[in-house]
């Protein structure tokens, strides 16, 4: 569980940085607070995006704390696991893994959205529009707004 948690959060860091570079060409930020400033300012609704794991009736709003200008709990706990694993090993739990995985899902969708919007000169109007264009079928998570319209059993 620890390796999975650390790998997911590491990927989040990489994709957040890429997303910021897509938004601000000369972005040089190195931490989550710098990512937050750029993303929250430019991508309205990012921090309130809800993801559902419809097979298990779970719902995540992984970036909600960004609207309050703070880091997500799962991110802070990831840093504790990363730097003080012997003391905070128990924070690498299923809840944090799923919460961070939902966060990674959102970040990847927004990166695809921003890149597609640039490519199509702004014709893509919402994050919901990017889902049908993805080359893979997503079975674990869905953006909540789409779940109501494309529910699968």
């Amino acid at each position: 569980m620890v390796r999975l948690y650390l790998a997911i959060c590491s990927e989040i860091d990489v994709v957040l940085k890429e997303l910021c570079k897509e938004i601000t060409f000369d972005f040089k930020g190195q931490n989550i607070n710098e990512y937050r400033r750029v993303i929250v300012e430019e991508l309205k609704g990012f921090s309130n995006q809800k993801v559902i794991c419809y097979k298990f009736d779970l719902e995540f709003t992984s970036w909600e704390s960004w609207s309050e200008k703070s880091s997500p709990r799962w991110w802070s706990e990831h840093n504790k696991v990363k730097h003080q694993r012997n003391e905070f090993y128990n924070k690498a739990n299923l809840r944090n893994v799923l919460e961070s995985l939902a966060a990674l899902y959102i970040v990847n969708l927004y990166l695809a959205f921003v890149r597609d919007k640039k490519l199509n000169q702004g014709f893509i109007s919402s994050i919901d529009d990017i889902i049908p264009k993805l080359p893979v079928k997503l079975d674990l998570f869905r953006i909540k707004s789409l779940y109501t319209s494309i529910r699968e059993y």
Side-chain angles (χ1 to χ4, degrees):
M1 192 75 67
V2 171
R3 285 185 180 186
L4 185 57
Y5 188 34
L6 293 174
I8 291 167
C9 290
S10 176
E11 190 65 18
I12 288 169
D13 188 55
V14 169
V15 180
L16 282 173
K17 191 178 292 186
E18 281 301 306
L19 179 56
C20 289
K21 287 178 182 178
E22 287 290 332
I23 294 168
T24 307
F25 177 73
D26 60 347
F27 180 76
K28 302 285 187 223
Q30 295 294 321
N31 65 54
I32 198 162
N33 292 320
E34 293 167 341
Y35 306 151
R36 178 185 40 79
R37 279 193 291 277
V38 170
I39 292 169
V40 169
E41 183 177 316
E42 296 296 325
L43 300 174
K44 307 301 180 210
F46 178 90
S47 59
N48 297 321
Q49 197 66 257
K50 291 184 187 298
V51 172
I52 59 167
C53 179
Y54 64 94
K55 288 184 178 184
F56 302 105
D57 197 30
L58 300 171
E59 184 174 301
F60 304 98
T61 313
S62 300
W63 297 105
E64 188 173 37
S65 64
W66 273 16
S67 60
E68 299 159 7
K69 299 183 179 178
S70 64
S71 292
R73 176 197 42 75
W74 56 265
W75 182 263
S76 300
E77 291 181 358
H78 150 262
N79 278 322
K80 289 176 180 177
V81 171
K82 185 169 122 182
H83 297 293
Q84 298 166 299
R85 192 169 310 153
N86 60 329
E87 188 176 346
F88 295 103
Y89 187 84
N90 65 329
K91 299 298 181 186
N93 53 47
L94 184 58
R95 176 184 174 183
N96 282 337
V97 167
L98 290 174
E99 188 87 34
S100 60
L101 190 59
L104 179 59
Y105 174 71
I106 291 170
V107 174
N108 275 304
L109 286 180
Y110 270 87
L111 180 60
F113 169 69
V114 168
R115 285 181 173 165
D116 196 74
K117 192 167 182 157
K118 286 169 107 176
L119 187 65
N120 292 298
Q121 288 85 33
F123 292 115
I124 303 299
S125 61
S126 88
I127 191 69
D128 297 344
D129 296 337
I130 199 69
I131 307 289
K133 293 180 158 200
L134 295 175
V136 295
K137 186 174 191 271
L138 306 169
D139 284 332
L140 182 61
F141 291 128
R142 298 261 163 126
I143 296 293
K144 186 169 185 181
S145 58
L146 282 178
Y147 176 66
T148 56
S149 63
I150 57 171
R151 184 177 278 185
E152 291 180 7
Y153 295 98

